[in-house]
Amino acid sequence: MLLKKKDYLIKTNEEIELIRISSLLVGKTLAFVAAQLKPGISTIVLDAHAEQFIYDQGGRPVFKGYNGFPASLCISVNDEVVHGIPGKRELKDGDIVSVDCGVEKDGYIGDSAYTFAIGDVSPEAIGLMRITQECLQKAIDAAVAGNRIGDISEAVQHHAERNGFGVVRELVGHGVGRHLHEKPEIPNFGKRGTGPVLKEGMVLAIEPMINMGVRNVHTLADGWTVVTADHKPAAHYEHNVVIRKKQSEVLSSFMEILEAERKNSNLNTKHHL
Ligand code: MG
Ligand code: MG
């Protein structure tokens, strides 16, 4: 039977369960990384450990080799918004560190991200992290069947901007499933009541990227790392959610990450909601 084009966006319950397994494995991987965060550790060591962990759990790191990306994690520190390439850089006290991870298992992908605070982080950066998490929650609340993509977009933009933060325009959330980036695109800025209608069974990676200062960003000469134009910090949180009738269902989880943060005395947990 030929599928109509619009049907490609809707996942079966079986597919949703497979995405859930991969999404939860991403959460476990981010918690595994969280346990190792400390001043002096290099981001390439974190990446190597995470990659091994993913393979040990029967998964495959999908970022590695994606359009030529050289690592399993994106690790973006301070003014780096997303797509930071792990390297020799050592984390230090006062850094905020966004870790983004994608895993495929049994043909389906999970994609989730979390921003951590190392030690004595400024109150302004803690505020940025908290508001970005609130943006994600408001986006999830807006992501119900019958609403439109623009409802998600406006929820993020409104909350970020009323708190004086900049909303990145150049990068967006996306559908997720067999492929890392599927339709529809989910901008973190826009107008409610616009864009595609959300339907039950769509699975979305919702990922506000919020800057403490201006919204403008640029890409470094490495071709990947996106940094803020004013070099103020940025935060990034990402969940995978399935659209349902009254309330969307979050497939990924931060539970184990939160636990790992609390157990790691090098990490600051003041940003917890
Ligand atoms: Mg991601
Ligand atoms: Mg994503």
Side-chain angles (χ1 to χ4, degrees), residues 131-144 147-163 167 186-194 198 206 208 210:
I131 295 299
T132 306
Q133 289 173 83
E134 288 174 2
C135 286
L136 176 56
Q137 188 54 54
K138 286 174 187 293
I140 291 168
D141 292 343
V144 292
N147 276 4
R148 291 175 181 267
I149 294 290
D151 296 311
I152 299 175
S153 304
E154 187 181 294
V156 173
Q157 183 181 9
H158 180 256
H159 192 59
E161 290 183 350
R162 72 189 284 271
N163 282 281
V167 178
I186 309 161
N188 293 304
F189 61 97
K191 292 257 174 291
R192 83 175 73 158
T194 65
L198 302 172
I206 300 178
I210 307 297

Side-chain angles (χ1 to χ4, degrees), residues 177-253:
R178 278 195 173 276
H179 304 281
L180 176 59
H181 295 128
E182 299 183 356
K183 287 181 179 176
E185 289 192 343
I186 309 161
N188 293 304
F189 61 97
K191 292 257 174 291
R192 83 175 73 158
T194 65
V197 175
L198 302 172
K199 297 198 174 109
E200 277 189 272
M202 291 170 92
V203 179
L204 307 179
I206 300 178
E207 49 179 320
M209 289 154 260
I210 307 297
N211 299 345
M212 187 186 289
V214 298
R215 66 176 172 85
N216 309 73
V217 296
H218 62 257
T219 304
L220 296 184
D222 63 20
W224 283 102
T225 314
V226 176
V227 298
T228 57
D230 59 9
H231 298 293
K232 290 184 178 176
H236 178 214
Y237 294 86
E238 178 178 21
H239 264 318
N240 300 149
V241 305
V242 54
I243 300 299
R244 303 287 196 200
K245 266 192 183 119
K246 287 196 172 131
Q247 190 177 28
S248 62
E249 185 185 349
V250 181
L251 298 176
S252 43
S253 173

Side-chain angles (χ1 to χ4, degrees), residues 63 100-101 111-113 207 236 238:
F63 292 178
D100 195 350
C101 180
D111 175 20
S112 179
E207 49 179 320
H236 178 214
E238 178 178 21

